[in-house]
Amino acid sequence: MPEGPASTLSSMIIAHLDLDAFFAAVEELEDPTLRTKPLVVGGDPHGRGVVATANYEARKFGIHSAMSCAEALRRCRHVVFVRPRHSLYREYSQHVWETVRGVVPTVERTGLDEGYLDVGEVAATFLQARKLAEAVQTSVRAATSLTCAIGVSTSKVVAKIASDHRKPGGLTVVPEGHEASFLSPFDIRRLPGVGPKAEQRLVAGGVETIGSLAALPEGELRRLLPGSVGRMLQERARGIDPRGLDLQTQRISISVENTFERDLTDRAQLHAELRRMAERLSQHLRDTGRTGRTVSTKLRYTDFSIRTRSTSLRVGIDDGEQIGELACGLLDRALTDRPGALRLVGVGVSGLASHRQLALV
Ligand SMILES: [Mg+2]
């Protein structure tokens, strides 16, 4: 982050935008008859498929993302399953972010359906920021028929929790000075940076809300979460988060993986899978104007154990064939180290850099 006077940090105004049930919302636009039905975008309910997105109708049955499709079907016998169409979602997503940039030019996309907006660049007060966020919601809806929830505050951590506060379609503004009291009642696991392990330790120590983490005496904090992580999380719990927008490396990594219907041993089939995934990654990199320097391959064996192998290059690439070639080589190496049938393979690219940013320098 560039150096600047301390006042620029305290006067940041950041928004977090999150499209509502994005994949499902796109499918509903493509086929309006789905609108009134419980809908799951995901894998095969009779295989090992997982829910990618459930629409709000499906959520009434307790269906949510990351749940197995088989479980979704148990919860609602008449749920409609649709396979994900990623290239379609990318098109909608691009249209959304172009529209957003028409209102707030500086944006850090953290996914197809979410990202941070540098509202402070175009609004001086929280009142203006609210008007701007409303304008973003209106323009996105007008341009794409998609709805989004937005949170606005002085930091990423508060904006993120605020955007999740009134879903779907809500707007939550937490002005300077109100961050800690806004965060206070939320469950500790809602705080970005609190993983399952930290959550377990905190809850075991009686810390169940963000507010109780914020108020935890130093000795107690050190006992529950030793090291700098505890201090950092406590700061966040108090609404203090100095992270600005990350415009250089927009995301740490992107990856695609596939769980097979049947366990696979055939090398040619595995290579074909990897090459297909590499093409998808490549498409995504090109769509978002980025390259990656590290390619990795992930293997899950039939006993559920996981191996990953990666290789780094001197320069970033976005070419599907190149990524596929490297991914296949990594798979071969891993299978030489440990032969066996696989139930899943994946390809990832990290060390991402944006062309656009580079072009500006
Ligand atoms: Mg979303």
Side-chain angles (χ1 to χ4, degrees):
M1 202 169 56
E3 293 271 320
S7 64
T8 49
L9 287 185
S10 62
S11 64
M12 284 201 298
I13 306 181
I14 293 182
H16 183 257
L17 179 152
D18 188 0
L19 289 163
D20 300 320
F22 176 51
F23 295 177
V26 170
E27 295 298 343
E28 287 177 10
L29 288 174
E30 293 285 309
D31 176 3
T33 66
L34 293 172
R35 226 171 268 166
T36 52
K37 297 173 186 162
L39 169 70
V40 161
V41 179
D44 180 4
H46 304 291
R48 291 158 163 174
V50 169
V51 176
T53 310
N55 72 354
Y56 288 91
E57 211 45 54
R59 291 181 196 192
K60 290 181 188 160
F61 294 88
I63 297 170
H64 55 77
S65 33
M67 173 182 278
S68 81
C69 288
E71 176 60 26
L73 187 59
R74 267 193 293 280
R75 293 192 183 198
C76 174
R77 300 312 300 185
H78 61 285
V79 65
V80 178
F81 287 95
V82 170
R83 289 301 173 95
R85 294 190 281 173
H86 293 281
S87 55
L88 183 66
Y89 309 149
R90 271 199 300 274
E91 275 172 40
Y92 273 89
S93 169
Q94 246 179 329
H95 197 184
V96 166
W97 290 106
E98 270 165 32
T99 308
V100 172
R101 285 193 178 99
V103 186
V104 179
T106 306
V107 164
E108 176 194 347
R109 282 178 55 181
T110 51
L112 284 180
D113 69 329
E114 57 178 274
Y116 293 98
L117 283 54
D118 185 354
V119 174
E121 195 179 51
V122 271
T125 65
F126 276 90
L127 195 65
Q128 288 172 358
R130 172 183 288 277
K131 293 230 163 73
L132 225 84
E134 282 167 356
V136 169
Q137 288 178 313
T138 310
S139 331
V140 167
R141 185 163 203 158
T144 64
S145 299
L146 292 166
T147 61
C148 60
I150 296 184
V152 181
S153 192
T154 52
S155 66
K156 281 185 164 178
V157 70
V158 183
K160 172 113 168 84
I161 294 177
S163 75
D164 206 34
H165 187 47
R166 294 199 185 95
K167 274 195 130 315
L171 171 59
T172 303
V173 180
V174 182
E176 191 163 13
H178 296 77
E179 299 92 336
S181 60
F182 169 75
L183 294 181
S184 180
F186 289 101
D187 269 2
I188 194 69
R189 68 184 153 76
R190 297 281 293 280
L191 190 70
V194 173
K197 265 194 200 145
E199 183 192 351
Q200 217 176 16
R201 297 187 67 122
L202 287 166
V203 171
V207 179
E208 294 192 1
T209 63
I210 296 180
S212 47
L213 174 58
L216 205 62
E218 207 189 318
E220 188 70 355
L221 177 69
R222 260 203 308 266
R223 192 179 65 77
L224 291 176
L225 296 174
S228 59
V229 176
R231 260 201 314 278
M232 185 266 284
L233 290 177
Q234 186 172 56
E235 294 250 284
R236 284 190 184 177
R238 293 169 174 168
I240 302 163
D241 174 12
R243 291 174 301 159
L245 262 59
D246 182 355
L247 305 170
Q248 190 66 44
T249 322
Q250 292 211 324
R251 266 170 87 184
I252 293 162
S253 68
I254 54 170
S255 60
V256 181
E257 56 182 50
N258 187 19
T259 304
F260 306 128
E261 300 301 321
R262 297 173 297 103
D263 300 325
L264 276 190
T265 46
D266 184 77
R267 196 65 65 94
Q269 251 178 306
L270 288 166
H271 281 182
E273 277 291 333
L274 288 177
R275 289 185 200 283
R276 216 176 6 251
M277 289 188 249
E279 272 311 321
R280 268 177 57 195
L281 277 184
S282 156
Q283 188 63 49
H284 183 66
L285 286 170
R286 278 182 275 135
D287 287 350
T288 52
R290 289 172 302 168
T291 57
R293 284 186 47 234
T294 302
V295 174
S296 55
T297 299
K298 173 174 164 186
L299 301 77
R300 194 196 281 279
Y301 292 86
T302 48
D303 65 356
F304 283 86
S305 65
I306 292 176
R307 291 282 188 286
T308 54
R309 289 283 179 280
S310 63
T311 184
S312 289
L313 307 162
R314 207 111 53 88
V315 291
I317 55 171
D318 64 2
D319 180 76
E321 257 178 63
Q322 261 181 302
I323 296 170
E325 199 54 44
L326 290 168
C328 291
L330 293 166
L331 176 100
D332 291 345
R333 255 171 55 200
L335 284 172
T336 308
D337 294 348
R338 188 188 157 189
L342 301 179
R343 53 176 282 137
L344 170 152
V345 293
V347 184
V349 178
S350 55
L352 302 180
S354 160
H355 298 314
R356 261 193 300 280
Q357 278 301 114
L358 292 175
L360 289 173
V361 200

